[in-house]
Amino acid sequence: KMSNKKVLILYKIISYFNLIIAGIFFLIFLTSLTVMSQKLLILLYMMLMVSVIMLSYLSFSLQRSIADKTISLPEATRSGLRINAYITLAYSFFQFSGLLGIILKKNEILKSLPPEYAGEALGVINFMLIFLLIFVIALFIHIFLTFSYLKKIK
């Protein structure tokens, strides 16, 4: 079993990881907004990434109040953590189900490509699947720890 201090350090590392990855995704969506035809879909993804960014950012306040018992967590921060955690949870399930669909249909995707690109595409698909799966797992862990810490510091 991990000590409370190690779990808090893990929570901080995951917070930074999620903040960086969500920030990169947000910038990618922002730049693609000008050239893509599916603007509404991209705006939805941008909103979801803002929710992940807000959850990660607000969790730093939560971490400070856990590490130093004299620092209280404002109710607005507590509410923001809950709302963004629920939105991020919905995004995580959505993303996980999409990844599962790609894993199950990977052979069909590869068959639809010209044979000379199939080898390269398999490497890219596998890399993206692993990377996004790590991101989704980190989101699930972050959400679980956020709700656990919110219960502890009532």
Side-chain angles (χ1 to χ4, degrees), residues 40-71:
L40 189 60
L41 184 62
I42 291 180
L43 287 173
L44 173 67
Y45 274 107
M46 287 175 67
M47 184 198 75
L48 293 171
M49 286 302 107
V50 167
S51 182
V52 174
I53 291 167
M54 290 294 296
L55 175 65
S56 299
Y57 183 75
L58 291 173
S59 69
F60 295 130
S61 295
L62 178 60
Q63 293 166 28
R64 278 191 296 275
S65 67
I66 291 167
D68 185 358
K69 304 291 184 205
T70 61
I71 300 173

Side-chain angles (χ1 to χ4, degrees), residues 94-104 128-129 132-133 136:
F94 174 68
Q95 187 71 25
F96 183 75
S97 65
L99 291 172
L100 193 59
I102 292 172
I103 290 169
L104 294 175
M128 290 306 295
L129 285 172
L132 290 173
L133 196 58
V136 169

Side-chain angles (χ1 to χ4, degrees), residues 98-113 118-130:
L99 291 172
L100 193 59
I102 292 172
I103 290 169
L104 294 175
K105 305 269 185 185
K106 187 166 48 170
N107 289 334
E108 292 175 31
I109 294 169
L110 291 173
K111 286 179 187 175
S112 70
L113 297 173
E120 288 180 29
L122 179 62
V124 170
I125 289 172
N126 286 336
F127 173 77
M128 290 306 295
L129 285 172
I130 291 168

Side-chain angles (χ1 to χ4, degrees), residues 67-105:
D68 185 358
K69 304 291 184 205
T70 61
I71 300 173
S72 65
L73 189 67
E75 188 57 39
T77 304
R78 192 181 290 268
S79 298
L81 279 164
R82 277 193 201 98
I83 290 167
N84 286 299
Y86 283 123
I87 294 170
T88 301
L89 184 63
Y91 165 74
S92 300
F93 278 119
F94 174 68
Q95 187 71 25
F96 183 75
S97 65
L99 291 172
L100 193 59
I102 292 172
I103 290 169
L104 294 175
K105 305 269 185 185

